[in-house]
Amino acid sequence: MDYKYIEQLLERYWDCATTLEEEQILRTFFSQKDVPVVLLPYKDLFTYAETEKTEAVLGEDFDRRMLSIIQEPAPVKGKTIHLAQRLKPLFKAAAIVAIILTLGNAIQVAFQQEQPIGQQDVATMDGVDEGISVAQQVVDTVMQDSTKLQSSLQLYR
């Protein structure tokens, strides 16, 4: 059988001078089962589109199916953070510092107050004074010791 016309169409195809109808003729020719051995290398080129139509392609739900197979959680969406939310830790830290400074100042003032003259020797007494509690006596003793320490430090300065 003479395949001159097909060979001419192939030459025009390689020169990019074929029409759509001529390319369709080439596709139908190469889709036959009996193709000459000389033209057999070109068969895959023209039957590729036919074989690709039958192959499965990725569907719309491919991502969902793959995530369900590998059991990973869905992607996390972004969250908007406002300025007040960003500054909350700073506000908490500032409140803690204010509380610590206030307590420190209160303790410092309590230790720097001078004791009344009648209560200086209360801790050294044998009995407990009826008007003063044990806790007050301990605080007074600590304050006396701190006063003595301050006066000795002033001597060294």
Side-chain angles (χ1 to χ4, degrees):
M1 191 170 201
D2 192 17
Y3 297 105
K4 289 273 188 200
Y5 180 66
I6 299 297
E7 290 176 358
Q8 288 174 354
L9 284 178
L10 279 173
E11 287 297 322
R12 290 188 59 204
Y13 181 79
W14 298 129
D15 291 337
C16 300
T18 56
T19 62
L20 292 177
E21 292 83 20
E22 292 171 337
E23 289 179 13
Q24 185 61 35
I25 292 170
L26 286 171
R27 281 191 208 95
T28 54
F29 173 77
F30 284 108
S31 65
Q32 301 175 33
K33 290 185 179 184
D34 298 329
V35 177
V37 178
V38 176
L39 300 175
L40 198 55
Y42 305 118
K43 182 175 181 175
D44 291 334
L45 176 70
F46 291 102
T47 59
Y48 177 75
E50 295 293 324
T51 58
E52 277 300 308
K53 287 181 185 177
T54 59
E55 289 184 19
V57 293
L58 299 177
E60 295 290 325
D61 62 340
F62 176 75
D63 289 336
R64 183 186 52 78
R65 288 187 294 143
M66 286 296 116
L67 286 175
S68 68
I69 289 171
I70 59 175
Q71 299 176 349
E72 284 196 15
V76 179
K77 293 184 179 180
K79 182 180 175 184
T80 305
I81 298 176
H82 300 287
L83 184 62
Q85 290 173 327
R86 281 187 172 209
L87 295 178
K88 251 183 199 178
L90 184 63
F91 292 151
K92 289 179 182 179
I96 290 171
V97 168
I99 289 171
I100 289 173
L101 289 176
T102 303
L103 291 175
N105 191 21
I107 291 171
Q108 184 179 13
V109 168
F111 279 119
Q112 286 181 354
Q113 287 180 351
E114 292 187 29
Q115 295 178 350
I117 299 172
Q119 295 181 358
Q120 286 181 353
D121 297 325
V122 173
T124 59
M125 297 171 91
D126 291 336
V128 177
D129 191 17
E130 292 177 12
I132 300 175
S133 68
V134 175
Q136 182 65 36
Q137 290 178 4
V138 171
V139 169
D140 290 342
T141 305
V142 170
M143 288 175 51
Q144 286 174 0
D145 292 342
S146 67
T147 307
K148 290 177 185 176
L149 182 63
Q150 284 178 357
S151 63
S152 63
L153 286 176
Q154 289 177 355
L155 290 175
Y156 290 113
R157 289 186 188 170

